[in-house]
């Protein structure tokens, strides 16, 4: 991204930031009003790597703390974890969206691509949430 692209992104496309979420650890919050029916993350280019759950859970070379982090941060569908191809050290804000039974986001897309879309307008300062049960087989509160 060059300077002009970055300035345009700052002007038109940056909608969220990470900050503490009461009772939920870290969360994603709107830093400006966000219209309905858009992807507030601009992450359409993220690709996911499909890895069988047991290749991570049963791997003695992966520390338990890392296994727990993978489980907490990734989507699990059909016995596979879907991890970003950029690795866990470079994950974007969308991975920190918290669960709600009354979400303001939904996700569409196939297993290798999860696209978040706002269900309704979101006000600056509001936390962005999604219902994990709509796309994650291994979700538990």
């Amino acid at each position: 991204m060059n300077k002009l692209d970055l300035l345009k992104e700052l002007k038109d496309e940056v909608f969220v930031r990470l900050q503490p979420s009461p009772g939920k650890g870290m969360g994603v919050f709107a830093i400006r009003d966000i219209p309905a029916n858009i992807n507030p993350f601009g992450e359409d280019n993220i690709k996911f790597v499909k890895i069988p759950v047991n290749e991570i859970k049963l791997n003695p070379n992966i520390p338990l703390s890392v296994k727990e982090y993978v489980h907490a941060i990734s989507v699990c569908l059909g016995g596979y974890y879907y991890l970003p191809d950029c690795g866990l050290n470079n994950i974007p804000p969308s991975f920190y969206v918290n669960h709600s039974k009354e979400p303001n986001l939904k996700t569409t897309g196939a297993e290798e691509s999860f696209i978040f879309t706002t269900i309704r307008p979101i006000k600056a300062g509001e936390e962005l949430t999604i219902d994990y049960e709509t796309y994650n087989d291994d979700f538990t509160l």
Side-chain angles (χ1 to χ4, degrees):
M1 183 176 296
N2 64 36
K3 180 175 128 180
L4 289 177
D5 291 338
L6 184 54
L7 290 171
K8 181 184 179 334
E9 180 187 61
L10 294 173
K11 178 180 156 288
D12 298 327
E13 301 167 14
V14 176
F15 292 101
V16 301
R17 66 168 285 164
L18 297 177
Q19 66 185 54
S21 175
K24 296 181 181 180
M26 198 56 80
V28 180
F29 289 79
I31 57 174
R32 64 168 86 179
D33 291 348
I34 306 172
N37 301 311
I38 69 158
N39 176 351
F41 302 107
E43 299 169 350
D44 295 343
N45 60 345
I46 292 178
K47 301 296 182 221
F48 290 84
V49 178
K50 181 178 174 179
I51 302 175
V53 168
N54 283 338
E55 280 190 36
I56 294 174
K57 281 188 173 181
L58 302 178
N59 188 326
N61 298 314
I62 300 173
L64 178 59
S65 58
V66 174
K67 291 176 185 181
E68 291 169 344
Y69 181 48
V70 166
H71 183 75
I73 204 78
S74 67
V75 170
C76 183
L77 284 171
Y80 292 90
Y81 284 126
Y82 290 84
L83 299 172
D85 67 356
C86 63
L88 294 189
N89 287 332
N90 295 302
I91 59 174
S94 64
F95 281 72
Y96 291 93
V97 171
N98 285 317
H99 169 73
S100 174
K101 291 305 285 175
E102 296 178 9
N104 50 26
L105 295 172
K106 64 181 178 179
T107 186
T108 57
E111 296 166 347
E112 287 83 19
S113 170
F114 298 92
I115 309 296
F116 289 94
T117 306
T118 53
I119 295 172
R120 59 171 175 74
I122 299 171
K123 292 288 186 189
E126 186 177 348
E127 183 171 8
L128 282 70
T129 59
I130 193 160
D131 184 349
Y132 290 170
E133 293 176 343
T134 62
Y135 68 96
N136 194 341
D137 290 345
D138 199 19
F139 169 67
T140 55
L141 277 176

